[in-house]
């Protein structure tokens, strides 16, 4: 099941579907211009047919072979690629990438920051279409074990890159208008990081709209579907009062200090997400996977340190989609 880069290239060129590592989450890859291979991706994931796939490239030059970039989009790619940033780009109506975009004259493109996958795409010399490697509706896979359990018998191979470094999906931006920047999906690169690089450029006055504040109704097709859910129902706790009133021997997903983790362990079964937002993001989907292995009827989520950093906002976004509140 595990393949080398050369084997992955051969399988993809033969129309196969190969799972590849990135710094965010694993992707379920097919050559973007091969409509039969892209079809397989939809079948394997059971993905709705109106939900287009991100195209992965190994360089800015390679993206520019398929599309003309406006100055702001190009600038952002120069700043953040390779990295956890995806951008919406207009493509010609006869683009070879239409199989991956569901026939739309736009694509979402990114250059993933993972040496194995950069080498894979360079050797392939073709854009690699790839949604997150998970059955639709489930949370994304961040290590090979999770993916093998979910999709193992359906894929043609997996390129092993270990545990994904960031652990949450890339930010998606619409920067096609040089005078306004819309964050379509929150990720590790958020308004803080964007403002920091824009501040001394001709784009400094460009306002940044987040999903909750944007005036436009534009969203990615994927955002209308329920995402990221583990099988186990998870209820989110919002304050210490709620935590105090839990009966003993509950299952709790916890992110915060080690001292508090030990205190909780005295009365509960605790899955530890990590001490910082970076660690919690890195471990988040893996812990949802571990939770499902426990086969408990319900769990609680308690992250008292959730902050307003870009990763914090991104986590909050995922949590709202998976949890019920009290
Ligand atoms: O970190 C990531 O972005 C991962 C790794 C594998 O790169 N990929 C990922 O793909 O999260 P996926 O398919 O799970 O999410 C992509 C989102 C979906 O919500 C989809 O609707 C949106 O991007 N999208 C893709 N192409 C689009 C297009 N042409 N126009 C609008 N939205 C698009
Ligand atoms: Mg996904």
């Amino acid at each position: 099941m595990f393949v080398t880069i050369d084997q992955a290239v051969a399988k993809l060129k033969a129309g196969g579907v190969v799972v590849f590592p990135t710094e965010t989450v694993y992707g379920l890859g097919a050559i973007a211009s091969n409509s039969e291979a892209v079809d397989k991706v939809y079948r394997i994931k059971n993905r709705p047919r109106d939900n287009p796939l991100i195209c992965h490239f190994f360089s800015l030059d390679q993206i520019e072979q398929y599309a003309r970039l406006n100055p702001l989009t190009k600038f952002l790619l120069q700043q953040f690629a390779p990295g956890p940033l995806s951008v919406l780009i207009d493509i010609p109506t006869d683009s070879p990438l239409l199989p991956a975009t569901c026939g739309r004259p736009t694509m979402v493109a990114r250059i993933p920051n993972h040496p194995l996958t950069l080498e894979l795409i360079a050797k392939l010399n073709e854009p690699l279409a790839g949604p997150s490697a998970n059955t639709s509706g489930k949370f994304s896979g961040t290590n090979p074990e999770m993916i093998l359990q979910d999709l193992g018998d359906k894929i043609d191979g997996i390129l092993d890159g270990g545990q994904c470094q960031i652990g949450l999906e890339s930010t998606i931006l619409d920067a096609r208008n040089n005078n306004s920047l819309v964050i379509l999906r929150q990720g590790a690169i958020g308004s803080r990081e964007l403002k920091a690089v824009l501040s001394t450029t001709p784009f400094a006055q460009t306002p940044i709209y987040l999903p909750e504040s944007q005036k436009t109704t534009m969203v990615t097709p994927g955002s209308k579907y329920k995402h990221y859910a583990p099988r186990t129902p998870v209820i989110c706790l919002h304050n210490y009062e709620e935590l105090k009133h839990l009966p003993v021997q509950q299952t709790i997903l916890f992110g915060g200090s080690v001292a508090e983790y030990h205190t909780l362990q005295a009365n509960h079964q605790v899955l530890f997400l990590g001490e910082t937002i970076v660690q919690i993001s890195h471990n988040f989907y893996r812990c949802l996977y571990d939770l499902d292995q426990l086969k408990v009827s319900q769990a609680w989520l308690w992250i008292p340190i959730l902050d307003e950093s870009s990763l914090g906002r991104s986590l909050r976004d995922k949590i709202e989609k998976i949890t019920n509140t009290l």
Side-chain angles (χ1 to χ4, degrees):
M1 189 51 69
F2 288 107
V3 292
T4 63
I5 292 177
D6 289 335
Q7 288 167 335
V9 169
K11 283 175 185 279
L12 288 164
K13 286 205 179 234
V17 172
V18 175
V19 171
F20 59 94
T22 83
E23 79 282 38
T24 58
V25 300
Y26 274 79
L28 186 60
I31 289 185
S33 58
N34 181 334
S35 54
E36 278 171 29
V38 167
D39 258 18
K40 276 192 213 160
V41 170
Y42 279 89
R43 281 203 302 274
I44 291 172
K45 269 190 76 106
N46 196 19
R47 182 174 175 102
R49 284 283 165 169
D50 64 348
N51 195 2
L53 310 182
I54 295 185
C55 294
H56 298 79
F57 295 80
F58 75 92
S59 70
L60 189 52
D61 281 352
Q62 194 193 20
I63 297 179
E64 289 189 304
Q65 287 167 25
Y66 292 86
R68 279 179 57 161
L69 301 178
N70 63 302
L72 179 56
T73 300
K74 185 162 176 168
F75 173 78
L76 291 171
L77 285 171
Q78 283 165 338
Q79 294 296 315
F80 292 109
L85 179 76
S86 299
V87 285
L88 189 65
I89 298 175
D90 291 320
I91 54 172
T93 50
D94 61 350
S95 167
L97 304 179
L98 294 185
T101 71
C102 301
R104 291 161 184 257
T106 56
M107 71 162 159
V108 168
R110 103 176 179 93
I111 305 174
N113 191 11
H114 196 292
L116 295 181
T117 293
L118 287 173
E119 191 179 334
L120 169 69
I121 306 171
K123 285 194 166 160
L124 201 58
N125 203 20
E126 293 252 22
L128 185 62
S132 51
N134 53 279
T135 304
S136 265
K138 282 185 83 171
F139 47 86
S140 305
T142 54
N143 66 38
E145 181 189 327
M146 293 165 74
I147 290 150
L148 288 173
Q149 197 200 56
D150 185 17
L151 306 171
D153 51 343
K154 300 179 182 150
I155 57 179
D156 296 307
I158 175 164
L159 191 57
D160 185 359
Q163 179 76 30
C164 298
Q165 185 212 333
I166 296 176
L168 298 178
E169 296 83 352
S170 64
T171 304
I172 304 181
L173 293 181
D174 181 356
R176 290 174 301 165
N177 177 341
N178 298 317
N179 303 312
S180 77
L181 183 50
V182 183
I183 300 180
L184 298 172
R185 181 174 73 182
Q186 302 263 21
I189 294 168
S191 53
R192 279 188 200 171
E193 292 75 15
L194 293 166
K195 279 185 189 140
V197 300
L198 294 175
S199 65
T200 57
T201 71
F203 309 107
Q205 301 308 317
T206 300
I208 299 171
Y209 297 111
L210 297 172
E212 65 267 31
S213 64
Q214 75 197 47
K215 311 255 181 332
T216 154
T217 54
M218 208 184 68
V219 289
T220 59
S223 60
K224 69 174 185 256
Y225 299 107
K226 190 170 161 59
H227 267 45
Y228 321 114
R231 273 198 313 272
T232 316
V234 177
I235 302 176
C236 191
L237 297 168
H238 293 102
N239 54 53
Y240 282 94
E241 273 308 297
E242 290 176 355
L243 180 72
K244 232 171 57 193
H245 287 103
L246 287 186
V248 291
Q249 287 313 317
Q250 299 297 299
T251 301
I252 302 179
L253 286 157
F254 169 73
S257 76
V258 172
E260 194 172 346
Y261 167 50
H262 289 314
T263 309
L264 282 174
Q265 264 188 323
N267 292 317
H268 302 289
Q269 175 177 42
V270 188
L271 290 168
F272 188 48
L273 290 159
E275 277 194 280
T276 63
I277 295 295
V278 169
Q279 290 168 0
I280 295 169
S281 303
H282 174 80
N283 294 321
F284 188 65
Y285 290 139
R286 186 187 51 76
C287 283
L288 294 183
Y289 171 81
D290 291 345
L291 171 65
D292 277 346
Q293 311 308 306
L294 295 177
K295 308 244 183 302
V296 293
S297 60
Q298 171 193 285
W300 307 88
L301 179 79
W302 175 230
I303 309 181
I305 61 163
L306 210 52
D307 62 18
E308 288 304 315
S309 64
S310 302
L311 265 183
R313 280 163 168 265
S314 175
L315 257 178
R316 199 185 307 273
D317 204 49
K318 313 298 173 209
I319 289 169
E320 277 167 13
K321 286 181 168 146
I322 68 160
T323 57
N324 307 305
T325 40
L326 275 177

